[in-house]
Amino acid sequence: MKKISLLALAVAAVMSSGAFAETGTLNFTGNLNTSTCTVAPGGDAGAGAGAGVVDVDMGDVSFSDLSTVAGDGTVSAAFTDIDLGLSCTAATGKTAVVMSFDPQSGSGLDAMDNRLLSLAAGGATGAGIALVDGTNQIIDLGANGEIRAPLTVDGAGVGTADMALRATYVSNGDTQVGGAANASLPFLLTYE
């Protein structure tokens, strides 16, 4: 009996020595909403293999036809139109849709010009992909560039928006080597 009592005291002493830990609190803030949107590609974009996937056919382009980005951020080139029609449920009280991009989860930022989306490894070099808004301004992916569109909400709470952007291959100053010029760019739609 004494052995059990001494063992219990020893265990209690060891456990109480761990009682000198600090305590704290994790505070989480945020907002949940039921707004969801479906994406319907238009322009030169087509529906991809899964929900929310948009395939953009950039075509077969010669390096001699590539544009550059001017000092003011404008791009003049032949563009591939990416018109996305959005239909959003439970959008009452929302006024805009914002499309932000996550290049690091896709092909990455172009090493020569981080405003551009990098082409996938193993293919062409010497260019990147520029996303451009309706005023020919580059959407600077390296600076968390985004595009926004007004959201029109009907009496049933269904919102619609048209996201119009364009894409083009842009020379990045690196050695030009022909090949596949593919890339991927995850995006996120948020509602304001």
Side-chain angles (χ1 to χ4, degrees):
M1 187 77 169
K2 278 189 172 182
K3 287 183 180 179
I4 293 174
S5 296
L6 289 175
L7 180 60
L9 286 173
V11 169
V14 168
M15 291 181 74
S16 68
S17 67
F20 296 107
E22 291 293 324
T23 61
T25 302
L26 295 174
N27 291 321
F28 298 90
T29 61
N31 183 50
L32 295 174
N33 67 61
T34 57
S35 296
T36 60
C37 291
T38 56
V39 178
D44 296 319
V53 176
V54 179
D55 290 334
V56 180
D57 184 358
M58 299 289 287
D60 192 3
V61 179
S62 170
F63 279 107
S64 64
D65 294 330
L66 295 185
S67 181
T68 57
V69 180
D72 65 356
T74 58
V75 178
S76 58
F79 297 105
T80 300
D81 291 325
I82 308 168
D83 298 320
L84 303 177
L86 306 177
S87 177
C88 310
T89 62
T92 301
K94 309 294 184 205
T95 59
V97 178
V98 179
M99 178 183 267
S100 57
F101 306 96
D102 184 8
Q104 298 304 346
S105 293
S107 301
L109 293 171
D110 186 276
M112 301 295 288
D113 184 343
N114 71 3
R115 298 173 294 180
L116 307 176
L117 180 63
S118 179
L119 300 178
T125 62
I129 296 177
L131 289 181
V132 182
D133 67 15
T135 64
N136 293 342
Q137 287 289 314
I138 190 166
I139 299 169
D140 188 344
L141 297 175
N144 299 316
E146 58 189 24
I147 188 166
R148 62 184 57 241
L151 186 64
T152 303
V153 182
D154 67 15
V158 175
T160 56
D162 293 314
M163 296 295 252
L165 59 151
R166 299 177 291 170
T168 188
Y169 292 119
V170 173
S171 177
N172 65 9
D174 200 2
T175 303
Q176 295 179 341
V177 176
N182 303 327
S184 66
L185 181 60
F187 64 86
L188 174 67
L189 298 172
T190 55
Y191 315 96
E192 299 177 337

